[in-house]
């Protein structure tokens, strides 16, 4: 599935894999960096649920979105971090592996964070 990341006047299309109920528990765990896909987690109502990076052997970028598809928070998550929690509520979470495959979107996100 393709989504469009938007922040101020910048836009970036991103191919993501929408996870199912079981996928919400597994996420990027046990994936290989270069084969890992960007994942989209949808939640029924706004939440500030914490995530972790246990058994994720590479860093990834987490992007939390509100119900209007607005970026609420962006964070680079290191491996083996027990508890990561955004400051604001969200309805969507995108996890993007830091890899060659996603280097363009990672650059875009670095530009977004500098604004």
């Amino acid at each position: 599935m393709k989504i469009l990341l938007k922040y101020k006047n910048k836009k970036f299309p991103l191919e993501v894999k929408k996870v199912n109920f079981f996928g919400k528990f597994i996420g990027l765990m046990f994936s290989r960096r270069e084969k890992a896909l960007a994942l989209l987690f949808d939640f029924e109502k706004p939440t500030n649920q914490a995530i972790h990076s246990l058994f994720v052997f590479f860093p990834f970028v987490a992007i939390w979105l509100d119900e209007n598809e607005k970026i609420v928070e962006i964070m680079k998550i290191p491996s083996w971090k027990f508890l990561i929690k955004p400051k604001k509520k969200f309805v969507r979470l995108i996890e993007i592996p830091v890899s060659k495959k996603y280097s363009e979107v990672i650059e875009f996100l670095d530009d977004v964070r500098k604004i």
Side-chain angles (χ1 to χ4, degrees), residues 8-91:
K8 297 198 176 185
N9 294 327
K10 295 189 173 206
K11 296 178 184 178
F12 192 91
L14 177 65
E15 187 71 33
V16 296
K17 178 184 177 189
K18 187 174 180 180
V19 299
N20 58 22
F21 179 77
F22 181 68
K24 286 184 181 180
F25 295 103
I26 299 298
L28 291 171
M29 291 191 309
F30 307 107
S31 297
R32 292 180 177 218
R33 180 189 299 242
E34 294 306 323
K35 291 187 177 184
L37 301 174
L39 302 177
L40 172 66
F41 300 78
D42 274 325
F43 298 90
E44 291 182 21
K45 58 185 179 180
T47 182
N48 62 347
Q49 181 175 330
I51 63 172
H52 68 83
S53 61
L54 302 175
F55 302 103
V56 180
F57 303 103
F58 50 87
F60 64 93
V61 174
I63 305 170
W64 290 273
L65 304 166
D66 68 11
E67 55 277 346
N68 298 316
E69 301 294 319
K70 182 180 175 197
I71 295 174
V72 173
E73 193 168 344
I74 301 172
M75 194 181 304
K76 186 174 180 183
I77 311 296
S79 297
W80 295 92
K81 185 130 170 121
F82 183 68
L83 188 69
I84 303 109
K85 195 169 186 176
K87 295 176 184 138
K88 295 181 181 177
K89 290 190 174 194
F90 62 94
V91 294

